[in-house]
Amino acid sequence: MHGMERVGVIGSGQMGGGIAQVAGVSGFDTVVFDVNASALDKCKGLHQKLLARAVEKGRMSQDDADAARKRIAYTDELGALRDSDIVIEAVVERADVKKDLFKDLSSVLSETAVFASNTSSISITDLATSVGDRADRFIGMHFFNPVPVMKLVEVINGLATSRETTDRVLSLSEAMGKTAVPANDRAGFVSNRILMPMINEAFYTWMEGVAEPEHIDEIMKLGMAHPMGPLRLADFIGLDTCVHIMDVMAEGLNNPRYRACPLLKQLVTAGRLGDKTKHGVFKY
Ligand code: CAA
Ligand code: NAD
């Protein structure tokens, strides 16, 4: 059993927002923290919209949606996470930013609390060094986008993660309606080790003029039965996040074959990050 009632979430972007929504709907008292007030407002607005839609579609009663709304609190103060039994971090995919945050968090949380990161690729063993002697309670809890829809949580044990922490997090993932599957602590784990090179190759295919972006996506959708083509999916994930993940894998797996395609990097430099800026490979 997980023995958890209160879930803290750090970052109210697409992943943190989705994780908070699923936690609230699953009956956990949930607090979402973000440094950016407008991101918090946007997250709250999206929760209202998605819960209203679930009621409209008959997937949830009005009472359950109202109860879920009441269970989720939004804050710009890290201290508001102090009573959390677990905190799931979902900020930018950079080890330095995440480690600073976990260091601050370790002086806020109780001794028994669990630290989880939704990182897409960064070593859990490395991130766990930021919480001192509490690395046994540090774990990777990798959700998939869009969180309310996707069933998987990839669970990653760091070198020091205890068996008890793993069991509690596996049980928590199930209580959030997800299927938890373990993976070992190597850059990119299983999911992005396989997905990101495909996305990166789609950018090379475009850069080399093999086909137009729409045609690359159409071929992969119709030919491989993928729900989205790789370039549409890159926009959906965020092109900045794709570059960060490739950088982590190139460094962590010590292999230049994981270097981000120059065209992908160029779009990020131009501020074309995908859905979140309404322009990436495609315009929205
Ligand atoms: N939040 C909540 N629900 C959402 C949603 C969101 N952001 N986006 C879509 N949905 C729901 C819709 O409400 C809809 O449900 P109802 O019909 O019951 O209302 C359902 O999902 C299907 O949505 P749509 O009909 O609008 O669109 P669709 O059929 O094209 O499905 C999709 C949309 C689920 C996103 C689908 O295109 C898909 O599965 N795409 C691939 C997603 C994927 O590969 N995700 C993994 C990314 S990699 C990752 O996450 C790891 C990483 O570290 C980068
Ligand atoms: P995002 O850009 O949508 O959201 C990140 C949020 O974190 C922003 O709202 C930002 O204001 C906030 N933030 C940044 N620094 C902060 C700090 N120091 N303290 C508090 N809040 C801070 O990013 P995202 O797509 O939600 O990705 C977040 C994490 O989830 C990354 O590690 C990413 O690799 C991982 N992830 C992303 C996807 C995806 O498809 N986008 C899927 C799985 C995992």
Side-chain angles (χ1 to χ4, degrees), residues 53 57 59 120 142 144-146 149-150 192 195 228 233:
R53 193 182 155 116
K57 288 240 169 184
R59 283 197 308 263
S120 297
H142 185 203
F144 289 77
N145 191 13
V149 178
M150 306 301 277
N192 283 315
L195 175 68
M228 286 174 164
L233 183 57

Side-chain angles (χ1 to χ4, degrees), residues 174-194:
E174 305 287 333
M176 290 173 79
K178 304 297 180 195
T179 301
V181 182
N184 286 329
D185 188 24
R186 291 286 180 282
F189 319 125
V190 170
S191 52
N192 283 315
R193 173 88 173 250
I194 298 173

